[in-house]
Amino acid sequence: MSQTYSEQTLVRDLVNEFPKTADVFKSVRIDFCCGGATPIVDAAAAGGVDLSTLMANLADVIEKSSSTETDLKVWTDSDSDTIIDHVIADYHHPLREEFLNLSPYVTKVSRVHGGHRPELLKVYELYYELKKEMLEHVAKEEETVFPLIRQLDANTIEDREHALNYIKELEKEHDHAGALLKELREITSDFTPPADACGTYRLVYKRLEMLEEQTFMHVHLENNILFPRYF
């Protein structure tokens, strides 16, 4: 991708364009919220942060966050092993990392602004319910269901109906996750923060929308490409 930012880009502008860069700034104690109207070069100097290392870390995060799937049709011709490996590497691992990184922001925004923005208390509740369910869900896929699917492909399965019931259970969990995401979208007015929202507030809404997008692609691969092969 062509680079659209530089050392002179304001910290807040980079976070607005690439929300996951907030994690990089946070890790080196650069304030992207109240102090975000500062060029990256100046923020690094003020915090005693090595600029070249900072820019390299930002570039790495931006490259990873910009490599989203744009065409999933290729997977219809891929074998199940390939799809499973792709789901684990490109959706499960990033999902765990995103929940780890996003949770402190959700908690902070709810604590600081929830008193006069009651919808944020609901966002907090829905987010942590989604987090708990999705982490349990991906663990079940990796530890139980994906191995069963590999056995189905290898014709080494002992109880085919048992494996299919597990797959149906995953589909129901996908439906519930979708319902939670729909409620999150509704309560946040399509992830639109109020005009006076601070940087962290806006960051949470943007990353929740990105989480929704990634979850939908994850579910599409499984519900519409992988799972139907066994029914």
Side-chain angles (χ1 to χ4, degrees):
M1 62 173 291
S2 59
Q3 187 165 311
T4 59
Y5 62 95
S6 71
E7 298 171 357
Q8 296 299 326
T9 300
L10 300 186
V11 170
R12 69 182 182 193
D13 289 346
L14 192 66
V15 172
N16 285 341
E17 187 173 358
F18 304 103
K20 290 193 177 183
T21 59
D23 298 332
V24 177
F25 289 124
K26 182 182 177 185
S27 71
V28 292
R29 299 186 178 182
I30 288 178
D31 181 6
F32 63 86
C33 184
C34 299
T38 305
I40 297 171
V41 61
D42 295 341
V49 176
D50 182 76
L51 181 62
S52 60
T53 300
L54 175 62
M55 295 302 290
N57 290 338
L58 290 169
D60 183 56
V61 167
I62 289 168
E63 181 180 357
K64 289 178 180 177
S65 65
S66 300
S67 60
T68 300
E69 295 286 351
T70 56
D71 184 0
L72 292 172
K73 292 181 181 179
V74 63
W75 299 108
T76 60
D77 296 324
S78 299
D79 60 58
S80 295
D81 269 340
T82 301
I83 294 175
I84 287 171
D85 291 343
H86 171 69
V87 166
I88 292 173
D90 287 60
Y91 293 102
H92 287 191
H93 294 339
L95 181 69
R96 291 186 176 101
E97 183 178 358
E98 179 62 358
F99 276 132
L100 178 66
N101 290 326
L102 180 55
S103 294
Y105 300 132
V106 174
T107 299
K108 178 181 178 181
V109 167
S110 173
R111 185 180 67 248
V112 174
H113 301 289
H116 61 281
R117 294 284 184 182
E119 68 272 14
L120 290 175
L121 302 179
K122 186 64 175 176
V123 168
Y124 176 93
E125 176 187 328
L126 291 168
Y127 169 80
Y128 277 98
E129 181 180 356
L130 179 69
K131 176 181 177 180
K132 178 178 182 296
E133 295 207 2
M134 287 301 294
L135 290 179
E136 291 175 353
H137 177 83
V138 299
K140 184 190 298 182
E141 287 187 341
E142 292 177 14
E143 296 167 11
T144 304
V145 182
F146 286 168
L148 287 174
I149 288 177
R150 295 186 199 274
Q151 290 177 37
L152 284 168
D153 276 349
N155 292 317
T156 59
I157 195 79
E158 294 183 2
D159 188 341
R160 180 181 177 84
E161 194 61 31
H162 175 70
L164 297 184
N165 285 337
Y166 260 119
I167 292 175
K168 292 175 183 176
E169 187 177 306
L170 288 184
E171 290 179 329
K172 291 178 181 178
E173 291 175 4
H174 287 164
D175 290 342
H176 189 234
L180 291 173
L181 287 166
K182 180 180 179 182
E183 195 169 354
L184 272 168
R185 177 170 279 279
E186 290 173 351
I187 200 71
T188 60
S189 301
D190 293 322
F191 303 109
T192 305
D196 62 348
C198 69
T200 305
Y201 198 146
R202 294 178 182 278
L203 175 78
V204 165
Y205 275 32
K206 285 198 173 188
R207 286 174 70 156
L208 285 175
E209 188 168 25
M210 292 167 66
L211 180 64
E212 177 194 65
E213 179 186 1
Q214 289 297 303
T215 301
F216 285 167
M217 288 192 292
H218 173 187
V219 170
H220 170 77
L221 267 175
E222 294 180 351
N223 278 14
N224 300 326
I225 297 176
L226 180 63
F227 295 164
R229 297 177 176 184
Y230 305 99
F231 290 97

